């Protein structure tokens, strides 16, 4: 009986930590969506080649990574591929570290 209570209490702690992380992810997503709607940000794309990743999804991925103190593009690319929360916030895009670095440079040139 004591073992079962310990297991249940351990699982409840994990669920509480996941809820906090999910709330942080939702906050980051809401901030990016609100910014895009307020400033009416759009990107012009050409019809040549492979279509680029959605700008809003890339911003969400990078912003959520910065919130979690991830500044390495390689680590962010790994999390985008294998971490469930990063997968949810970016709508399952899996950019390479080079693509993330290029998007970061693109945003720095805008501002």
């Amino acid at each position: 009986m004591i073992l079962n209570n310990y297991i249940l209490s351990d699982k409840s702690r994990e669920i509480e930590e996941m809820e906090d992380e999910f709330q942080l992810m939702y906050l980051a997503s809401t901030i990016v969506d609100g910014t895009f709607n307020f400033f009416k940000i759009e990107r012009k794309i050409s019809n040549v080649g492979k279509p680029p990743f959605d700008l809003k999804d890339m911003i969400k991925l990078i912003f959520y990574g910065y919130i979690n103190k991830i500044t390495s593009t390689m680590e962010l690319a790994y999390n985008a591929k294998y971490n469930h929360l990063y997968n949810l916030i970016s709508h399952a895009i899996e950019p390479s570290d080079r693509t993330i670095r290029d998007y970061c440079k693109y945003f720095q040139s805008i501002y």
Side-chain angles (χ1 to χ4, degrees):
M1 186 70 173
I2 295 173
L3 180 62
N4 289 340
N5 288 338
Y6 176 73
I7 291 172
L8 290 176
S9 67
D10 191 40
K11 293 294 182 188
S12 66
R13 217 175 329 143
E14 288 179 16
I15 290 171
E16 287 175 4
E17 290 174 5
M18 287 174 51
E19 285 178 0
D20 292 341
E21 196 66 29
F22 185 77
Q23 288 176 357
L24 184 64
M25 181 200 66
Y26 183 74
L27 175 68
S29 179
T30 304
I31 289 171
V32 172
D33 287 338
T35 304
F36 267 74
N37 292 339
F38 183 76
F39 290 111
K40 296 181 176 86
I41 299 172
E42 293 181 6
R43 179 173 58 170
K44 297 177 185 175
I45 57 172
S46 66
N47 293 332
V48 179
K50 183 180 175 183
F53 291 113
D54 187 24
L55 185 61
K56 192 183 290 188
D57 292 338
M58 285 297 290
I59 292 284
K60 286 179 184 180
L61 181 67
I62 293 168
F63 184 60
Y64 187 60
Y66 280 142
I67 287 174
N68 288 317
K69 300 176 183 170
I70 296 176
T71 55
S72 167
T73 57
M74 293 182 75
E75 191 175 347
L76 193 58
Y78 178 83
N79 280 327
K81 190 176 280 191
Y82 297 111
N83 191 329
H84 184 66
L85 290 172
Y86 285 85
N87 222 343
L88 278 174
I89 197 167
S90 66
H91 295 116
I93 62 171
E94 296 177 358
S96 67
D97 61 316
R98 191 171 179 185
T99 305
I100 295 171
R101 186 176 42 237
D102 291 342
Y103 272 85
C104 288
K105 287 180 184 177
Y106 172 73
F107 297 128
Q108 288 174 355
S109 69
I110 291 175
Y111 301 107

